[in-house]
Structure formats: C-alpha cells, structure tokens
Amino acid sequence: MPELPEVETARRGLAPHLTGKTITDVVIRNASLRWPIPKNLPGLLRGLIIRSLKRRAKYLLVDCGDGTLILHLGMSGSLRILPANTPADKHDHFDLSLSDGTLMRLRDPRRFGAVLWHSGDVHTHPLLASLGPEPLEKDFDANYLHRSTRGRIISIKQCIMDNHVVVGVGNIYANEALFRAGIRPRLAAGRVSLPRCSRLAAEIRSTLTEAIAQGGSTLRDFVNSTGQPGYFQQNYWVYGRGGDPCKRCGAPIKQFKQGQRSSFYCQKCQK
Ligand SMILES: [Zn+2]
C-alpha cells in the first residue's frame, strides 16, 4: 500500500508535469473505485489550468482554481505521465489528458483508490476536514502529541496511526519510529511523558523524511511517475523482522497483532 512517503514522492515527481498545463480531456474507463468517479468530471475539468499539485495526508490535490481534483491511491494505485496515444491496460481506469500531448494515468488493480472533485476550499471536504496535523509540519510537535494523548488508554502505536491525531503514519513507520524512540508499541498513549513525546515526534518526522529522501518504500506494486518501481527496500530496525536479532542489542525481535496490524519491537531497547 502506498504510504505517505510514496505519495509525497509521487507528488514531487508529478508536479512539474502537471503545473501550468491545461486539461484537454478526461477519460473514465471504470468509474467503480472506492467511491464512483463523478460522471460530470469531463465537463467540469475540460479547459481548466492546473495551478499546483499538493498533498494532504495521503490525498493528492490537483488545484484547478475553481476547485480541486482529489486523488487517492488506495491499496494498489499508481500514477504515471505517458504520451497521449499510449494504449490502456485493463487496470487503467482514469486519464487526464493535458495540453502538452501527455496524459496522467491512474492504474489501480484493486480499485480502492479515489478520484473526486470538490469546488471551493478543499480542506472543508468531508474526507479532509477532520484530519489531524501533517507529521512534517510545525504544528505536529512534542506539546501537541503530549496534549492529544493525555488520558488516553489506547496504545501509543494505535494513537500515532490515528488520522485524527496525526496523518500519514502507517504501520511500517509507526513500528520504526517507536523503536527509534525506545517506546513499546503497547504502552498506553496517556502514559508517554513529555520528553518521550518529544523523542517520538522527532523520530516520526525523521523516519518519514528519510523514506521520502530514498524515494519511498513499499512492499507492493507502487510505480512512480517515471514508470519505475518506486520501492526502495529500506533497512528496517524492526518492521518485518519478527524473530531476527535486534540490530542494536541482539535480542530477538518480538511480533504480535495489534488492532489487525503486525507490531514488532525489541524487549530490551523499548520500554
Ligand atoms: Zn534491542
């Protein structure tokens, strides 16, 4: 599944190909994504100029002035820039044709992605309005994390994976950031002290920043904007290493299920 670093990598790769271009046509081959692609999209988009490509959580936001095209890659989506006459594959559900003879194509075999339109301020869209802060922005810091976890008995791992607390911290990065911060995934969120919140917020930021710098990581079929597989197999401290020796102390990495997701930690390095 594309995580925040993959989406940010896609944004950075696609932005120069989209910004300033006029949308000349829209092709919807299969509207049945997570939500139906609006039927009136071609009429709305034809002739609009793309002002910028932004990101909020894992949503890509194509700012068209009057409104915003909201894209989500779901479980298996990828976006590529291709020459206009490129034949479509059966999983190529949506094209945005551009004035320079290229198109942006959404491929999404599992169809959990989304293509939606919002006129006016996109941050008031129901999918975006109640999201927590971006992990790489200034408003996500030690004080914020400490304040938003007080009194909470759910685990710190589930808390940092909750989009209302902070967006875009998926399972891989939650596991890795908790190891790097020396915090056990099952610890109640409300028991994490301010200094430890400070450490955790910093490790979340650096884990994500490093992954973005490496071009995003994934275990599946993310394809980046140049058509190359976008996965960069990172050297994880704990993620996917159940039973293997801890790279810091040598103790075996523990693995367990937590809210349907696999958690990994070192009993010695994490308290
Ligand atoms: Zn260890």
Side-chain angles (χ1 to χ4, degrees):
M1 172 185 328
E3 298 254 16
L4 185 140
E6 281 85 22
V7 179
E8 177 60 20
T9 300
R11 188 195 70 75
R12 292 179 186 186
L14 293 165
H17 299 278
L18 299 180
T19 308
K21 305 285 161 63
T22 302
I23 298 169
T24 54
D25 204 3
V26 173
V27 178
I28 302 170
R29 292 187 195 83
N30 185 346
S32 306
L33 300 187
R34 181 163 181 184
W35 299 283
I37 301 178
K39 284 197 181 72
N40 60 345
L41 212 49
L44 284 168
L45 289 178
R46 265 185 221 121
L48 296 184
I49 297 170
I50 297 171
R51 298 194 176 178
S52 64
L53 180 63
K54 298 195 174 101
R55 181 187 57 74
R56 176 75 172 105
K58 296 205 292 185
Y59 295 96
L60 287 168
L61 308 174
V62 185
D63 180 0
C64 299
D66 295 345
T68 303
L69 189 66
I70 303 172
L71 304 172
H72 196 281
L73 298 176
M75 306 287 285
S76 61
S78 61
L79 290 163
R80 287 169 304 154
I81 302 289
L82 298 164
N85 56 1
T86 309
D89 173 273
K90 68 169 177 175
H91 299 300
D92 293 339
H93 306 309
F94 176 84
D95 287 350
L96 210 57
S97 301
L98 304 170
S99 49
D100 63 351
T102 65
L103 54 81
M104 181 178 72
R105 177 164 286 169
L106 173 69
R107 174 173 292 182
D108 187 2
R110 297 185 65 186
R111 291 194 280 113
F112 281 103
V115 178
L116 298 166
W117 173 257
H118 185 77
S119 20
D121 179 5
V122 72
H123 298 289
T124 63
H125 188 280
L127 289 170
L128 306 185
S130 65
L131 293 175
E134 288 286 328
L136 304 177
E137 301 285 331
K138 283 203 183 87
D139 47 353
F140 178 69
D141 64 7
N143 287 324
Y144 168 81
L145 185 58
H146 189 249
R147 202 168 58 238
S148 56
T149 49
R150 289 314 85 191
R152 301 202 61 178
I153 57 168
I154 69 157
S155 71
I156 187 61
K157 180 170 180 244
Q158 285 165 298
C159 215
I160 59 175
M161 291 181 69
D162 177 352
N163 269 334
H164 301 289
V165 175
V166 57
V167 301
V169 184
N171 195 40
I172 296 173
Y173 302 104
N175 276 298
E176 291 293 291
L178 285 165
F179 174 83
R180 289 162 57 146
I183 299 170
R184 286 197 187 192
R186 259 191 287 237
L187 185 62
R191 294 183 55 204
V192 182
S193 65
L194 182 59
R196 299 187 89 198
C197 282
S198 174
R199 179 83 189 277
L200 181 57
E203 295 294 0
I204 287 171
R205 272 195 300 275
S206 50
T207 304
L208 291 169
T209 304
E210 287 163 23
I212 291 167
Q214 289 162 351
S217 68
T218 183
L219 303 178
R220 293 203 188 189
D221 48 0
F222 171 74
V223 175
N224 69 25
S225 57
T226 57
Q228 300 302 310
Y231 50 82
F232 182 99
Q233 197 60 49
Q234 293 184 92
N235 288 318
Y236 297 123
W237 286 101
V238 290
Y239 182 77
R241 300 192 63 244
D244 290 353
C246 173
K247 292 177 181 179
R248 199 168 272 162
C249 76
I253 299 297
K254 299 277 182 188
Q255 177 175 358
F256 66 100
K257 282 279 179 204
Q258 196 174 16
Q260 321 271 12
R261 309 302 299 272
S262 290
S263 290
F264 302 89
Y265 74 103
C266 174
Q267 266 182 316
K268 283 192 180 172
C269 296
Q270 292 169 260
K271 302 290 175 211

